[in-house]
Amino acid sequence: VRFLVNRITPRTTLAGEIRATLERLYHFPILETVLHDRQAYKQSFVTGQSVVEFDRGSPAAKEIAALLVEISGIVKIVAK
């Protein structure tokens, strides 16, 4: 079990406070990848595409790619 911090507004004090609160209250690891509240997620949903298909170079697509890499690394560790 791991926490994924998502729908965070970039560059806000609250973003840091959310992570600190999770660390203080729960004993589960928090993923390093953070998904921010971005228009590209909403626009890709409306078009029926993944955010990577919608705009491969967008910050949202880069967040999803980073999440995939992070989860893949965790799965490889668990599978050993």
Side-chain angles (χ1 to χ4, degrees):
V1 176
R2 288 177 172 70
F3 281 108
L4 170 63
V5 179
N6 67 82
R7 297 206 56 201
I8 296 297
T9 303
R11 300 175 301 281
T12 61
T13 304
L14 187 57
E17 290 175 7
I18 289 170
R19 186 175 196 90
T21 300
L22 287 172
E23 289 171 344
R24 184 171 36 85
L25 295 178
Y26 302 100
H27 301 287
F28 297 112
I30 302 171
L31 295 170
E32 291 298 318
T33 304
V34 174
L35 302 181
H36 294 89
D37 189 13
R38 300 186 186 280
Q39 290 299 312
Y41 290 117
K42 299 166 188 99
Q43 292 169 327
S44 68
F45 176 77
V46 170
T47 64
Q49 299 174 301
S50 74
V51 74
V52 175
E53 293 169 318
F54 180 74
D55 184 355
R56 182 173 300 276
S58 70
K62 291 175 185 174
E63 289 172 353
I64 295 300
L67 180 61
L68 176 62
V69 168
E70 187 172 359
I71 291 172
S72 295
I74 292 166
V75 170
K76 286 179 187 174
I77 291 169
V78 172
K80 287 186 178 183

